[in-house]
Amino acid sequence: AEINLKKTDLVNMFIAEKAEAPVLLVGDIDRGGVFAWLKGTYDLLNESEQNRIIGFIINKFRGDLDLLKPGIEQFEEMVNKPVLGVVPYFKDMVIDEEDSIPQRFYSAEKNAQGILDIAIIELPRISNFTDLSPLAHDPSISLRYVQHPAQMGSPDLIIIPGSKNTVDDMNFLNQQFLTREILKCHQAGTMILGICGGFQMLGKKISDPENLESRENKVAGLGLFDFETTLVAEKLTRQVQLETVKSRVFPEGLQCEGYEIHMGQTTFGSSYPALFSAPNGDNPMSFGIINQTGTVLGTYLHGFFDKDLFRENILSYIRAVKGIKKPQSTFEYATFRTRELNKLADL
């Protein structure tokens, strides 16, 4: 129903039509005006799309259902389609958000052992923030999103995540004086991890000669690695299965799964220890590197934190460098995620 995007929208109802799939329209009553929202959305669909709607669901309802029923009956007369269910409001459940960071602070459990303090740079155009979910819900990690130097403190690890617009987000770091703060923390002993666009920001320069993402052609990076990245029109999207090589961080032969989705081509001016062996003759440094002192890591991979063994190797390495004792037990993210999805299924 986003009529301004209809001509170029390749998801939502377009896909439902191509797949000949029935559609449920879900409204969030917690925001208020749910019947107006459902009716307005329905009216903005064309006739074939309206015919594909088999019913409505009202989500996040609190209170007495009997008070809602008269509204449901009137609404069903207006659209001549059924309201198939009302889902109660339920907060104690961790489900991935689609477009927004669910919360800015995730405290470690009280009396947890080996607590790591991790600061995530909250880029205005942050992407793939679910990369960080396994860290956010680990009881031995205190994680916070940072937008200003005053929020930084002295974290054990700073993560610069992916970005939908790397050049403009690098400019954001400069404008907010976060560039200076990140380098200051690094000099004081904080470790740095860059993921995808965040990896590109760790280099000397990011160029966008065709203005694919930004109106600016180039911007200086943090200069923590000797490489430069040029944005190109063709986006690399692929799933990868890699194996670690022996390094400060990993033992040899550890399996890693992840995916790439980026437009940048990175040219290395110096050689760095690679984290992975490369398939198909690719440059192994393009998948992940660590600096000579072992304090800065960068990778183009997304989703690599999901695997418990792989994630624990990284966290154990950081704790060892920082002199922090390891927790007695390992956080099992897959088990946690399954439990939370089961809550949703039960609901």
Side-chain angles (χ1 to χ4, degrees):
E2 293 181 274
I3 54 178
N4 56 310
L5 303 176
K6 196 93 174 226
K7 289 182 180 179
T8 55
D9 191 2
L10 300 179
V11 294
N12 302 318
M13 292 303 293
F14 175 86
I15 290 296
E17 298 257 79
K18 291 294 182 185
E20 298 183 358
V23 173
L24 298 173
L25 190 55
V26 184
D28 180 357
I29 197 171
D30 194 52
R31 295 172 182 266
V34 70
F35 292 119
W37 184 90
L38 291 171
K39 180 70 164 61
T41 301
Y42 182 77
D43 288 349
L44 288 174
L45 300 175
N46 62 38
E47 186 177 356
S48 67
E49 292 169 335
Q50 288 181 345
N51 292 336
R52 198 159 294 287
I53 302 285
I54 62 166
F56 302 84
I57 292 175
I58 293 175
N59 192 25
K60 296 186 180 178
F61 178 72
R62 353 178 176 209
D64 185 351
L65 188 59
D66 287 336
L67 298 178
L68 186 64
K69 284 179 179 177
I72 291 175
E73 292 168 1
Q74 293 177 59
F75 175 76
E76 288 177 331
E77 289 177 6
M78 292 177 185
V79 296
N80 200 27
K81 302 265 185 176
V83 173
L84 297 172
V86 177
V87 182
Y89 191 92
F90 188 76
K91 287 190 71 172
D92 185 24
M93 181 166 53
V94 178
I95 302 296
D96 289 340
E97 294 287 343
E98 182 181 3
D99 290 321
S100 60
I101 298 168
Q103 60 191 74
R104 266 63 185 173
F105 300 95
Y106 296 84
S107 299
E109 277 188 5
K110 190 177 181 180
N111 300 323
Q113 290 184 323
I115 293 176
L116 272 179
D117 179 16
I118 298 179
I120 312 294
I121 304 301
E122 188 175 343
L123 304 170
R125 302 157 193 86
I126 189 172
S127 69
N128 303 82
F129 59 85
T130 52
D131 285 347
L132 309 169
S133 296
L135 302 178
H137 302 295
D138 187 327
S140 69
I141 288 176
S142 176
L143 184 145
R144 53 209 163 82
Y145 284 85
V146 170
Q147 291 182 315
H148 190 274
Q151 301 169 318
M152 187 73 81
S154 302
D156 300 308
L157 173 68
I158 293 173
I159 298 179
I160 309 174
S163 168
K164 297 183 182 75
N165 185 327
T166 314
V167 171
D168 286 354
D169 275 349
M170 187 67 228
N171 278 323
F172 166 80
L173 296 188
N174 294 329
Q175 292 160 5
Q176 292 291 100
F177 301 105
L178 279 166
T179 301
R180 185 175 65 189
E181 190 67 19
I182 291 168
L183 294 174
K184 177 183 171 184
C185 286
H186 178 242
Q187 290 170 357
T190 297
M191 298 190 66
I192 312 291
L193 169 63
I195 301 173
C196 197
F199 179 31
Q200 294 172 349
M201 293 178 195
L202 298 178
K204 287 185 172 180
K205 185 172 70 173
I206 306 161
S207 300
D208 187 4
E210 298 180 49
N211 300 114
L212 298 168
E213 288 187 352
S214 173
R215 294 180 181 179
E216 297 194 32
N217 295 118
K218 60 184 176 181
V219 64
L222 287 158
L224 292 170
F225 283 122
D226 180 18
F227 65 66
E228 296 183 1
T229 299
T230 302
L231 303 184
V232 294
E234 186 176 355
K235 179 174 282 191
L236 177 63
T237 58
R238 61 180 175 180
Q239 291 179 312
V240 291
Q241 290 186 320
L242 300 171
E243 196 171 272
T244 59
V245 296
K246 189 170 178 56
S247 66
R248 291 170 179 262
V249 187
F250 300 116
E252 193 171 3
L254 191 64
Q255 299 298 312
C256 171
E257 295 177 7
Y259 63 95
E260 290 183 90
I261 176 168
H262 61 89
M263 298 171 67
Q265 291 184 348
T266 297
T267 304
F268 293 90
S270 300
S271 182
Y272 294 96
L275 299 176
F276 310 99
S277 57
N280 307 319
D282 290 323
N283 182 351
M285 289 196 296
S286 66
F287 291 103
I289 58 175
I290 186 169
N291 67 347
Q292 303 296 344
T293 58
T295 57
V296 184
L297 296 90
T299 180
Y300 267 126
L301 294 187
H302 292 286
F304 59 89
F305 275 134
D306 285 9
K307 292 293 182 183
D308 293 338
L309 184 59
F310 189 82
R311 182 180 68 257
E312 282 305 312
N313 266 270
I314 296 177
L315 297 178
S316 293
Y317 170 71
I318 295 167
R319 285 188 172 101
V321 172
K322 300 295 294 183
I324 299 171
K325 189 177 180 181
K326 284 180 62 174
Q328 290 183 336
S329 59
T330 298
F331 174 59
E332 296 179 356
Y333 179 64
T335 302
F336 168 82
R337 184 171 170 79
T338 299
R339 185 178 72 238
E340 297 303 306
L341 289 172
N342 283 339
K343 289 181 186 178
L344 177 63
D346 292 341
L347 182 66

